[in-house]
Amino acid sequence: KNEVEQSPQNLTAQEGEFITINCSYSVGISALHWLQQHPGGGIVSLFMLSSGKKKHGRLIATINIQEKHSSLHITASHPRDSAVYICAVVQGAQKLVFGQGTRLTINP
Amino acid sequence: DAGVTQSPTHLIKTRGQQVTLRCSPKSGHDTVSWYQQALGQGPQFIFQYYEEEERQRGNFPDRFSGHQFPNYSSELNVNALLLGDSALYLCASSPLAGERNEQFFGPGTRLTVL
């Protein structure tokens, strides 16, 4: 079993829909990242959080430390949101352990 | 600030050859981590360098080695390449003293082993 599990692995939705991607982890962490990866490979950090909730534009990330679970929400989804979203937890001195990613496709 | 840069962007090698990938961290960052991302998978931690020494290592064989220079830039070397080494190699930098553990990623080097 992977230390970081994401669901779903693939998600296709229509423009405007509310999107939720889930991440569960089984190890102790100091923080959790949500990352976005577009075709071609470049990774952009969306959020880093260790408790509670963060919001940036149409993106919202939450984390429940007791339940070892985090969610990434996208409101009013748009085709440009299509990408792979990756959850990564911070272990030790900044070592990242990654989930397998969720491939999101938003159709116009 | 150029952010994290990596070179080359693409590379094709044959089995048995050796390869060197390069990473320059974001200005002000002194810690460099390397990750391997196979197609369709999440990245896997290879190792991390700080103060020119390897601080942490993932589950990768000794064929994978690295180096960090006094200017904090880093190299990843892979010897005796295997077909399975074909992947996107990502470099990330962070300020070790930073309290937020935030990492910034480079664009990656795509290695193809034939």
Side-chain angles (χ1 to χ4, degrees):
Chain A
K1 190 180 188 303
N2 293 333
E3 293 175 311
V4 181
E5 294 277 355
Q6 286 184 237
S7 63
Q9 291 190 15
N10 293 281
L11 179 58
T12 299
Q14 291 300 121
E15 184 174 357
E17 287 189 34
F18 181 81
I19 302 299
T20 296
I21 300 172
N22 296 300
C23 175
S24 296
Y25 53 93
S26 57
V27 294
I29 69 170
S30 57
L32 182 145
H33 289 261
W34 280 104
L35 309 165
Q36 181 190 57
Q37 187 172 34
H38 280 280
I43 287 181
V44 175
S45 178
L46 300 173
F47 294 103
M48 188 189 68
L49 63 166
S50 54
S51 65
K53 175 181 175 179
K54 287 190 175 180
K55 184 176 188 293
H56 185 253
R58 296 180 294 105
L59 302 179
I60 303 167
T62 64
I63 188 169
N64 185 317
I65 296 295
Q66 287 73 33
E67 295 185 3
K68 296 188 174 180
H69 181 269
S70 176
S71 294
L72 176 68
H73 306 285
I74 304 175
T75 61
S77 59
H78 191 276
R80 64 174 175 266
D81 297 326
S82 298
V84 176
Y85 292 84
I86 303 173
C87 167
V89 300
V90 183
Q91 284 191 307
Q94 302 181 27
K95 171 189 171 184
L96 291 181
V97 178
F98 294 80
Q100 75 274 37
T102 295
R103 184 173 299 277
L104 175 65
T105 303
I106 303 296
N107 293 319
Chain B
D1 182 6
V4 181
T5 60
Q6 291 187 244
S7 63
T9 54
H10 295 84
L11 200 52
I12 299 175
K13 292 284 188 179
T14 56
R15 280 179 297 175
Q17 284 189 310
Q18 178 264 343
V19 67
T20 297
L21 311 181
R22 295 176 177 83
C23 171
S24 291
K26 182 177 169 65
S27 178
H29 288 186
D30 56 13
T31 301
V32 173
S33 302
W34 286 93
Y35 299 89
Q36 180 196 64
Q37 186 177 24
L39 195 62
Q41 303 294 318
Q44 299 287 321
F45 176 74
I46 303 175
F47 42 53
Q48 183 184 88
Y49 276 84
Y50 170 67
E51 290 190 342
E52 303 179 49
E53 291 194 359
E54 185 182 290
R55 294 183 68 246
Q56 299 187 79
R57 189 179 182 91
N59 189 24
F60 278 80
D62 292 344
R63 298 186 298 109
F64 289 76
S65 63
H67 188 78
Q68 186 178 36
F69 299 94
N71 67 353
Y72 308 124
S73 66
S74 177
E75 288 182 349
L76 164 65
N77 301 293
V78 187
N79 294 322
L81 285 167
L82 304 174
L83 296 179
D85 296 331
S86 295
L88 179 70
Y89 288 84
L90 294 160
C91 164
S93 74
S94 54
L96 184 66
E99 58 188 24
R100 289 172 52 85
N101 295 317
E102 196 156 6
Q103 296 199 18
F104 292 80
F105 287 84
T109 294
R110 188 164 297 281
L111 172 65
T112 301
V113 182
L114 303 177

